[in-house]
Amino acid sequence: MTNGTSLPRLHDKVALITGAGQGIGREIALRFMKEGARVIVADLNEQRASAVAAEIAAAGGNALGLEIDVTRPAMISAVIAETLRRYSRLDVLVNNAGIGSNEPVLELSLEEWERNLRVNLTGTFLCAQAAARVMVKQGGGRIINIASISGQRGGVGRAAYGAAKAGVIQLTRVMAVELAPLGVGVNAISPGPIDTEQSRGTHTPDTRRAYLDRIPLKRYGRGAEIAAAAVFLASDDSSFVVGHILNVDGGFDAAGLIFNDKK
Ligand SMILES: NC(=O)c1ccc[n+]([C@@H]2O[C@H](COP(=O)([O-])OP(=O)(O)OC[C@H]3O[C@@H](n4cnc5c(N)ncnc54)[C@H](O)[C@@H]3O)[C@@H](O)[C@H]2O)c1
């Protein structure tokens, strides 16, 4: 896919995507490859990371599959060091690794609360900070944080997950403001419900019904629809977009009353 010239939109960019062993992250990795990027597929599950990297290589792309735990600074440093050893730069970070949670606040344990904040918020901060340090030194880059509509609205069962994702949204804005003058663009994507292993594991039938009621498009999204937004935010097409939270949610955020009044 090209941008009007003959070059693909992410031609030769080096992109690190966390949690890319499955789901939304995998879709972003595959799409970035099609757009000409060299992709580091990083995941807690090393086998899945390697499998996605192999899938990209088999399709003629350039990819590296690495194990990462985004809550562990030493592992993040090792992944970034390996990226620089292999490709000499890091142009794009997609902070996609995350875990779901669905616990009523009265039953929410401290352990579950902390697990959510640690992976979804602290993990995002640690990766973004480490990548930004490289990007500032090399003179530019782009960071895309995957937030959630659960970080914008008070959904039932989303105390821990929603608080963590709200934190990701605010972290995005602060980092964007601090880093824009240094050449690093920071933005977020806020997905609505997307059909992936995570949502299949955590969305009850009631959750599904409630989402479909609230979403004008009346369906779950696809990972590929998040990947399309990520290409925009990773590319030079978004050069004046700073600290933006891009909702890719089928209209969830826009919706007020939805009904079909024939009279
Ligand atoms: N699926 C949805 O409906 C939805 C909606 C809004 C936001 N999101 C967000 O999108 C992102 C991807 O979600 P998904 O649905 O593809 O999830 P998923 O569970 O299908 O995939 C998440 C991946 O992250 C990896 N991961 C988990 N913990 C990790 C850690 N500590 N370090 C490194 N990797 C780790 C997992 O191994 C997995 O491969 C998450 O941040 C999620 O919160 C998802």
Side-chain angles (χ1 to χ4, degrees):
M1 284 164 218
T2 62
N3 54 6
T5 70
S6 55
L7 292 177
R9 289 167 76 190
L10 303 181
H11 178 67
D12 259 357
K13 288 199 191 289
V14 177
L16 167 59
I17 303 160
T18 67
Q22 67 177 33
I24 292 171
R26 174 177 166 274
E27 293 287 346
I28 294 173
L30 294 172
R31 179 71 194 273
F32 274 25
M33 174 271 288
K34 285 189 189 140
E35 300 290 351
R38 293 167 287 173
V39 183
I40 299 92
V41 178
D43 202 288
L44 194 56
N45 185 319
E46 190 177 12
Q47 277 179 340
R48 284 205 294 253
S50 299
V52 173
E55 202 180 339
I56 289 174
N62 190 335
L64 181 61
L66 294 176
E67 184 185 3
I68 196 171
D69 180 343
V70 297
T71 67
R72 292 176 56 195
M75 276 187 107
I76 297 167
S77 299
V79 164
I80 290 189
E82 183 58 18
T83 300
L84 296 177
R85 197 188 64 72
R86 173 87 169 245
Y87 299 115
S88 306
R89 54 186 298 111
L90 174 59
D91 298 299
V92 181
L93 166 71
V94 184
N95 261 318
N96 167 79
I99 53 171
S101 172
N102 185 11
E103 291 289 333
V105 73
L106 294 180
E107 283 142 45
L108 182 60
S109 66
L110 176 60
E111 192 188 12
E112 178 70 355
W113 169 264
E114 287 183 334
R115 191 174 78 95
N116 256 273
L117 290 206
R118 196 164 54 245
V119 177
N120 292 330
L121 179 56
T122 306
T124 297
F125 158 67
L126 290 171
C127 292
Q129 184 189 53
R133 286 177 173 154
V134 172
M135 291 170 180
V136 167
K137 216 184 271 179
Q138 78 189 6
R142 299 194 73 82
I143 296 174
I144 302 162
N145 296 326
I146 305 298
S148 171
I149 52 170
S150 296
Q152 296 166 284
R153 297 299 171 95
V156 168
R158 301 296 190 271
Y161 181 76
K165 291 296 189 178
V168 168
I169 287 172
Q170 193 59 8
L171 175 69
T172 300
R173 295 192 179 112
V174 173
M175 287 191 74
V177 169
E178 288 191 17
L179 299 179
L182 304 175
V184 180
V186 185
N187 293 286
I189 295 171
S190 235
I194 306 298
D195 186 31
T196 67
E197 286 81 348
Q198 187 194 86
S199 61
R200 272 174 240 138
T202 58
H203 291 191
T204 62
D206 282 346
T207 305
R208 284 180 182 274
R209 254 193 312 277
Y211 268 131
L212 297 180
D213 272 355
R214 270 296 306 270
I215 293 178
L217 279 184
K218 300 291 174 204
R219 66 171 174 85
Y220 273 40
R222 295 182 286 273
E225 292 172 311
I226 304 303
V231 170
F232 168 65
L233 292 176
S235 77
D236 296 340
D237 290 345
S238 59
S239 50
F240 205 55
V241 180
V242 174
H244 185 69
I245 313 304
L246 178 53
N247 281 66
V248 182
D249 63 359
F252 178 93
D253 186 51
L257 277 178
I258 302 180
F259 63 99
N260 191 3
D261 191 351
K262 295 266 167 49
K263 288 177 201 150

